[in-house]
Amino acid sequence: MKKIIYILSIIALTSTFGSCYDLDTYPGDKVNQGQFWKDESEVKQGLIGIYSVLRADYVYGLQFMYDNIGELGIGYHSQSYVDATNGNYTGRTDIVEGRWQAMYEVIQRSNSFIRNAQNVSFLTTEQKEAYIAEAKFLRAMFYFSLMDIFGAVPYYDETTDVNADYATLFNPRSSVEQIRSYILSDLEVAISKLPVKWEENQYGRATKGAAYALRGKVYLYNKEWTKAIADFEEVVNNKSNNYGYQLHGDYAELFNLYGGKKSNEMIFAIQNIGGTSNANGMRFAFYLGTRSTYGSCWNNGMPSCNLVDMYDYPDGKPFNWEDAFPGFNAQDPDLQYANRRSHLDVKLSTDGKKIESTLNADIDKIKAAYENRDPRLVATVITPYSTYLGWFSNAAKDMQFALHSTTGGSPNESNGFIRNNNNWVTYFWRKFVPEANLGGALTDRSHTPIEFPLIRLGDVLLMLSEAYNENNQLDKSIVELNKVRARASVNMPDLNSGPSWLAVTSKEQMRERIYKERAVELACEGHRFSDLRRWGMAKSVLNNKPVVNIYGKTLYTHKFEDKDMLWPVPTVEIEMNSALLPNNPGWE
């Protein structure tokens, strides 16, 4: 834990629950007890001090970049987690230190809130218990994220007062089993005391359903299938309460919720807001958008070719590039590169303002190769020769993604073409990337006001499907996965609905289906790295695997060794607290 104490400025908080403050301006890990806790509005402000940091980069603000460490995304910058991707990170790398320190700072906020809320006299017992339960839900989530990445970590609860105990914060690491027990204890309180729903103007606060879903995930990660099933069934089947969660009919719209738009699929999500005087969002535009996006952005994170090739045909048959372009997957790298350029490239005019020649490319055929697929592909990824509503010269402008020959002009946003900031020939994210200026809601490229899901029903259904499958309940597993495929805007055919390629008759086959379904449903939401590790697949899927561009040319090589199952305890933390030793395996 950082040994620096910051005082949270109350001036930075507003009385509206969904409002936030800028962490770069108002850092802090505790509330000044002498100036706070005078009435319920100030208790709410203290709670805002926890929620506000969900957007911080190393809390969940860059959660979407975790897919780059898996096989669904790629990147070229430190904020893209490229150091973890290529194996060049250590206990001193920013992403390692940042995750550890940011999580402990927000845990301390939770602890301070719980400690202070216990002592107020102006709340009823019921009110007090509900507030404390909310903070314990958040604390459980933070510890779960720490445990997932670092394994055994030191535990501090509300009995720790940073002001009083500053010189003695040298706890050793508690075991994973101990941390999990603390998490489950917090979630038991949250389930018992949190409401099923809040009032409309309190949208975004943790609920009983969110606590059940998170506890189910904790059980799932520990392979406690029966307990996970019970919690997920509670949420999915409304066993004790009417939670009201539903799959959002329009998959693309689900990742473009802003300006008061809401969805019953969101179980717990970060509430981002924007506007000229209230820019408090996440860096979707900045890191996932291109130069064609509002503010001229960097596309530090991009979808991988592995992800794009996972999306099936609309009839559920696995996609194969050879169906559209024979020779596309030639074994010889040079021949493959030449074949793909021949099939895909066009020539731009010298001034770069238009496509002068399609050369050998059939643009309609190329577009069909992407559009005649699972509809989640074009909702998630900007694919070649599709368009994106960007922003240029203070106005909305349609931009096209063209793959161009080395001859002719170069594409840029002034001429209506999307370009890669790193000059890589890759796909771009459409999911979470704002179009135009979101009707005026987007005023700062670092603060996209789109809601970001940490727990949503689509994920819970797939986790329930997985738990059923591992618990030898294949038929039930298939039912839950089919629900996700049946979303109105997706409408992919059910497993076991006729054709041989949809047949699933064993646990092993169902595991393969869950592996793919979680990829195409949850891409860019940051779940993949954890999924691969808990499935025991990370090394086989990632280690020494080339990361390629659309032409098949290697950009870099992914590395994953046994030691990468857990990140190292940050070196600076060990230097301050030797009780954190021994470090994780392979990091000694």
Side-chain angles (χ1 to χ4, degrees):
M1 186 183 295
K2 277 186 175 178
K3 299 302 187 291
I4 301 174
I5 308 301
Y6 296 108
I7 301 301
L8 174 62
S9 173
I10 302 308
I11 297 173
L13 303 176
T14 72
S15 59
T16 302
F17 189 84
S19 299
C20 306
Y21 64 89
D22 191 334
L23 282 177
D24 294 333
T25 305
Y26 297 104
D29 66 356
K30 73 181 297 295
V31 172
N32 188 328
Q33 299 176 43
Q35 299 177 18
F36 214 56
W37 311 105
K38 300 297 190 300
D39 56 40
E40 187 174 1
S41 68
E42 292 186 344
V43 175
K44 285 186 177 181
Q45 289 177 343
L47 200 56
I48 294 169
I50 309 173
Y51 277 93
S52 64
V53 290
L54 295 177
R55 297 179 293 103
D57 283 356
Y58 291 126
V59 181
Y60 300 115
L62 291 178
Q63 191 67 24
F64 49 85
M65 288 296 191
Y66 275 87
D67 278 355
N68 295 346
I69 322 177
E71 87 283 34
L72 306 185
I74 63 176
Y76 65 88
H77 184 268
S78 61
Q79 298 296 332
S80 309
Y81 291 179
V82 66
D83 291 328
T85 301
N86 60 28
N88 289 332
Y89 68 110
T90 70
R92 294 194 186 277
T93 303
D94 286 349
I95 58 173
V96 176
E97 287 187 3
R99 185 67 162 186
W100 180 284
Q101 294 172 353
M103 283 296 179
Y104 272 111
E105 287 177 359
V106 76
I107 284 169
Q108 179 54 33
R109 292 191 186 202
S110 305
N111 289 338
S112 292
F113 181 89
I114 294 168
R115 184 174 59 255
N116 283 282
Q118 288 173 341
N119 297 323
V120 298
S121 59
F122 49 81
L123 295 177
T124 66
T125 299
E126 184 178 5
Q127 289 173 321
K128 188 184 301 185
E129 288 176 342
Y131 278 121
I132 291 172
E134 200 168 351
K136 286 191 173 184
F137 167 84
L138 293 166
R139 183 172 68 182
M141 184 170 62
F142 303 141
Y143 269 118
F144 180 68
S145 296
L146 272 175
M147 181 179 72
D148 179 40
I149 292 293
F150 294 102
V153 293
Y155 185 75
Y156 297 92
D157 64 13
E158 67 274 15
T159 63
T160 301
D161 183 339
V162 174
N163 266 349
D165 303 329
Y166 169 77
T168 60
L169 297 179
F170 300 115
N171 286 2
R173 300 164 73 190
S174 296
S175 69
V176 168
E177 291 73 21
Q178 289 172 320
I179 296 296
R180 186 181 299 111
S181 70
Y182 295 138
I183 292 169
L184 293 173
S185 178
D186 276 352
L187 291 176
E188 184 177 351
V189 173
I191 288 168
S192 174
K193 301 301 180 181
L194 284 177
V196 174
K197 294 181 180 179
W198 293 97
E199 297 83 356
E200 185 68 17
N201 65 354
Q202 303 291 293
Y203 176 78
R205 295 176 67 175
T207 61
K208 190 183 296 290
Y212 269 117
L214 180 57
R215 191 173 71 174
K217 185 173 183 177
V218 175
Y219 285 137
L220 182 82
Y221 274 44
N222 198 39
K223 305 185 187 305
E224 296 181 77
W225 313 122
T226 302
K227 290 181 179 179
I229 287 169
D231 280 347
F232 293 145
E233 284 183 340
E234 172 68 27
V235 172
V236 171
N237 300 330
N238 298 302
K239 283 199 165 183
S240 301
N241 302 281
N242 180 18
Y243 299 99
Y245 301 125
Q246 296 178 332
L247 289 173
H248 198 80
D250 187 334
Y251 181 82
E253 184 183 65
L254 181 61
F255 311 105
N256 192 32
L257 299 175
Y258 70 95
K261 298 177 184 177
K262 299 179 177 65
S263 172
N264 288 333
E265 180 161 346
M266 297 298 192
I267 296 176
F268 187 68
I270 298 175
Q271 304 303 302
N272 293 305
I273 55 178
T276 302
S277 61
N278 204 10
N280 291 286
M282 287 169 61
R283 302 176 192 259
F284 299 131
F286 193 94
Y287 286 133
L288 302 182
T290 65
R291 290 296 186 185
S292 298
T293 303
Y294 182 94
S296 186
C297 300
W298 294 82
N299 63 269
N300 298 95
M302 297 152 283
S304 69
C305 292
N306 284 334
L307 170 65
V308 171
D309 292 350
M310 286 185 184
Y311 293 87
D312 295 333
Y313 289 112
D315 63 1
K317 188 175 182 180
F319 173 75
N320 190 336
W321 278 108
E322 294 291 326
D323 295 341
F325 303 110
F328 195 88
N329 292 331
Q331 294 299 309
D332 180 85
D334 293 334
L335 182 59
Q336 182 185 90
Y337 179 79
N339 282 345
R340 293 189 179 190
R341 295 207 67 168
S342 175
H343 288 307
L344 300 176
D345 270 12
V346 297
K347 180 181 179 181
L348 300 185
S349 60
T350 303
D351 59 12
K353 293 184 177 181
K354 63 180 180 179
I355 295 176
E356 180 179 275
S357 170
T358 59
L359 302 175
N360 295 321
D362 184 332
I363 291 179
D364 289 338
K365 190 174 182 180
I366 296 169
K367 291 173 67 176
Y370 295 101
E371 294 171 357
N372 187 34
R373 306 269 286 281
D374 182 328
R376 288 172 291 190
L377 171 55
V378 294
T380 301
V381 177
I382 297 174
T383 54
Y385 304 103
S386 66
T387 58
Y388 156 72
L389 184 60
W391 188 262
F392 181 77
S393 192
N394 205 34
K397 185 172 184 176
D398 280 324
M399 307 285 185
Q400 187 178 37
F401 175 24
L403 299 173
H404 62 100
S405 171
T406 53
T407 59
S410 297
N412 62 65
E413 54 281 354
S414 65
N415 294 327
F417 289 106
I418 300 173
R419 59 170 162 151
N420 188 301
N421 186 65
N422 204 43
N423 295 317
W424 286 358
V425 184
T426 63
Y427 302 108
F428 304 103
W429 291 112
R430 192 183 296 273
K431 193 172 179 178
F432 297 120
V433 176
E435 293 189 340
N437 70 340
L438 297 180
L442 177 61
T443 59
D444 184 332
R445 65 180 183 174
S446 293
H447 293 279
T448 307
I450 293 174
E451 187 173 351
F452 182 71
L454 296 176
I455 308 172
R456 65 178 176 92
L457 183 60
D459 181 19
V460 169
L461 289 170
L462 293 177
M463 288 192 290
L464 177 56
S465 175
E466 179 182 343
Y468 277 142
N469 187 53
E470 297 302 325
N471 204 45
N472 300 311
Q473 296 172 274
L474 179 61
D475 289 346
K476 287 187 175 182
S477 176
I478 291 171
V479 168
E480 300 307 318
L481 188 141
N482 282 342
K483 289 178 183 178
V484 177
R485 294 166 66 87
R487 186 193 303 268
S489 64
V490 175
N491 196 30
M492 289 294 287
D494 287 350
L495 302 184
N496 285 347
S497 62
S500 59
W501 56 80
L502 291 172
V504 176
T505 59
S506 70
K507 178 187 291 187
E508 289 69 27
Q509 288 177 333
M510 192 62 191
R511 283 175 178 160
E512 294 176 4
R513 293 290 181 171
I514 292 168
Y515 168 86
K516 178 184 280 190
E517 199 67 28
R518 285 188 65 82
V520 300
E521 173 69 19
L522 302 172
C524 203
E525 295 178 50
H527 299 285
R528 196 60 169 186
F529 184 53
S530 295
D531 281 347
L532 291 176
R533 288 182 298 118
R534 68 187 180 84
W535 290 336
M537 298 175 62
K539 190 172 183 178
S540 62
V541 170
L542 301 175
N543 193 38
N544 290 323
K545 297 300 172 66
V547 174
V548 301
N549 68 9
I550 294 173
Y551 301 136
K553 184 177 180 179
T554 297
L555 301 172
Y556 57 87
T557 300
H558 208 139
K559 300 291 185 182
F560 189 97
E561 301 176 357
D562 291 339
K563 68 177 183 178
D564 299 313
M565 284 295 292
L566 294 173
W567 285 2
V569 176
T571 304
V572 67
E573 303 298 330
I574 293 173
E575 288 171 347
M576 291 186 292
N577 179 12
S578 61
L580 297 175
L581 292 172
N583 211 324
N584 285 323
W587 297 102
E588 294 83 354

